[in-house]
Amino acid sequence: MALTAVSWSTASQVSDLSGLVLQNQRPIPELGDKDVLVELRAASLNKRDLVVAKGQGGLVAPPGAIPGSDGAGVVVKVGSQVQNLQPNDRVITHMVPDKFPNDATPPLGDDELPGWNHICAGLGQEMNGTLTTYGVFPESCLVKFGNMMSFEEASTLSCSGITAWNSLMGLEGKQVKKGDWVLVQGSGGVSVAALQFAVAVGAIVVATTSSEEKGLRLKALGASHIVNYRQTPSWGAVAKELTPSGRGFDIIVDVGGNATLSQSVAAVRRNGVMTVIGMIGEADAEPTPMMAVLFVACVVRGILLGSRAMMRSMVKFVEDNKIKLALDDEVFALADLKDAFKRLEEQKHFSKVVIQIPGKIQSEEV
């Protein structure tokens, strides 16, 4: 009997998620020379996954595509030209490969940062993703990790983790260091990962939130100060006053887009770095003009994921520093994906929403 998988499939993209269908015996494709068969053990969800599933923002997935970009598992089998992986290796997915099935998408070197076209052509959209018990991925979409992290923790690094790492470590000469002041916004995956990474190097972190409960969790992870943005509309100036002599922040990780950018500009220090990595705030918020940064004299970076080389450096950093990556309190089974999406959409989660995938070999013929 041939190996099959339990997989979610994007039959159609509709706003009520009715187009997501769970297949119980999806055939596993043959491995190409540079492909790797992975038994997935965990996946985590991003806002992108929800947007793709609903067909919003012009993000199109081919019918039958497996959703999800973030995952961790165990190598089962490798293609004949796979060089750096072998069966039983523990691996994390990286959303974008070095070469794409779509010839119109240019290849990516190890140190190259992906563009939006690469992300749209990557896992969970044009390429099959991680919400499955077994997946076939190019070797370049996988990074090894050791026993220090659980599969659930490792699955959070594929998108939000690498984005946080790029925000803090991606600009040569401006990497976060001990004694720097860092501002993170909210308690989503990128912000929590950035908090944990910055604390690990000895930076002082200020976090914003509207929830007292989540504020306590952020403090427990190492945030030195919490600012409630709902109670304090001008939170940028208030947060800035917490820094030495009110100088402002060395690095700001902005996830809210137009809803938060004006406050980030108010909080950043001269020659500081403001990374713009998301737009989870109110969609109708007043845009912040680029000229606003002229008199602040800061660096502004747009961030889309990170390179494969960054991914490997991040995994080593997490393992070397024995960071216990934060997860949401509620963990979902693969069959309960739609409930997990609901929790994500309602923003009831802390850090990342995680799907446990207890894979089971259905055939020895792999």
Side-chain angles (χ1 to χ4, degrees):
M1 181 184 296
L3 182 69
T4 60
V6 178
S7 308
W8 283 94
S9 174
T10 309
S12 60
Q13 295 173 277
V14 288
S15 60
D16 64 358
L17 300 182
S18 60
L20 288 177
V21 177
L22 186 62
Q23 297 177 294
N24 287 316
Q25 290 187 314
R26 181 172 177 134
I28 304 294
E30 291 290 325
L31 265 65
D33 291 341
K34 296 183 178 181
D35 289 339
V36 179
L37 174 62
V38 177
E39 180 186 1
L40 277 301
R41 299 291 182 84
S44 69
L45 300 182
N46 302 298
K47 182 68 178 292
R48 168 184 177 261
D49 302 322
L50 184 61
V51 170
V52 171
K54 291 188 170 193
Q56 297 173 338
L59 300 185
V60 177
I66 298 173
S69 61
D70 298 18
V74 178
V75 172
V76 176
K77 187 178 181 180
V78 300
S80 61
Q81 295 183 29
V82 170
Q83 297 181 342
N84 299 310
L85 295 173
Q86 59 187 3
N88 297 319
D89 280 345
R90 293 155 63 92
V91 290
I92 306 168
T93 56
H94 181 56
M95 189 187 296
V96 289
D98 56 357
K99 295 181 180 178
F100 294 81
N102 174 5
D103 292 336
T105 305
L108 275 174
D110 227 33
D111 293 305
E112 286 187 277
L113 295 172
W116 187 243
N117 56 333
H118 297 108
I119 290 172
C120 291
L123 301 187
Q125 194 169 341
E126 290 188 15
M127 296 174 65
N128 283 330
T130 57
L131 292 167
T132 175
T133 51
Y134 292 93
V136 173
F137 306 103
E139 181 183 14
S140 58
C141 280
L142 299 169
V143 173
K144 284 195 288 189
F145 73 103
N147 294 321
M148 199 284 296
M149 283 185 281
S150 69
F151 290 106
E152 290 81 6
E153 291 171 312
S155 75
T156 69
L157 294 176
S158 302
C159 183
S160 60
I162 189 60
T163 301
W165 180 261
N166 189 1
S167 297
L168 299 176
M169 302 291 192
L171 184 59
E172 191 68 32
K174 289 287 188 179
Q175 296 95 334
V176 67
K177 61 186 183 299
K178 184 177 181 179
D180 281 351
W181 281 71
V182 176
L183 176 68
V184 299
Q185 300 171 353
S187 55
V190 174
S191 297
V192 171
L195 163 63
Q196 293 192 270
F197 296 162
V199 168
V201 301
I204 299 95
V205 181
V206 177
T208 67
T209 183
S210 63
S211 164
E212 183 176 347
E213 178 185 354
K214 290 180 178 179
L216 292 174
R217 293 195 66 178
L218 293 167
K219 288 276 280 188
L221 291 173
S224 297
H225 304 277
I226 303 295
V227 177
N228 189 310
Y229 64 81
R230 206 173 298 282
Q231 295 175 0
T232 312
S234 298
W235 52 263
V238 171
K240 186 175 184 177
E241 285 302 309
L242 296 170
T243 65
S245 302
R247 72 185 189 195
F249 289 89
D250 299 283
I251 298 178
I252 296 178
V253 182
D254 190 291
V255 300
N258 286 329
T260 53
L261 277 171
S262 63
Q263 296 303 313
S264 292
V265 171
V268 71
R269 72 176 298 182
R270 186 173 66 254
N271 205 32
V273 178
M274 192 167 68
T275 59
V276 182
I277 63 93
M279 44 188 177
I280 63 172
E282 296 86 350
D284 59 351
E286 186 72 22
T288 298
M290 280 295 295
M291 287 299 293
V293 303
L294 175 62
F295 298 105
V296 179
C298 66
V299 177
V300 181
R301 296 181 69 218
I303 300 290
L304 292 173
L305 294 180
S307 67
R308 282 187 299 282
M310 286 181 182
M311 189 84 177
R312 290 192 291 270
S313 296
M314 173 188 62
V315 170
K316 185 178 186 301
F317 177 86
V318 171
E319 293 180 331
D320 288 350
N321 288 276
K322 297 180 171 57
I323 299 174
K324 182 73 174 174
L325 295 168
L327 306 174
D328 188 38
D329 289 335
E330 190 167 350
V331 177
F332 294 84
L334 181 62
D336 297 325
L337 173 64
K338 293 182 182 181
D339 291 334
F341 269 140
K342 181 179 179 183
R343 184 168 176 83
L344 178 68
E345 187 169 30
E346 293 176 350
Q347 297 185 9
K348 292 181 177 179
H349 63 294
F350 182 89
S351 189
K352 292 299 293 279
V353 175
V354 171
I355 307 290
Q356 286 182 332
I357 308 175
K360 181 179 179 182
I361 296 289
Q362 299 180 33
S363 168
E364 295 181 358
E365 188 181 321
V366 298

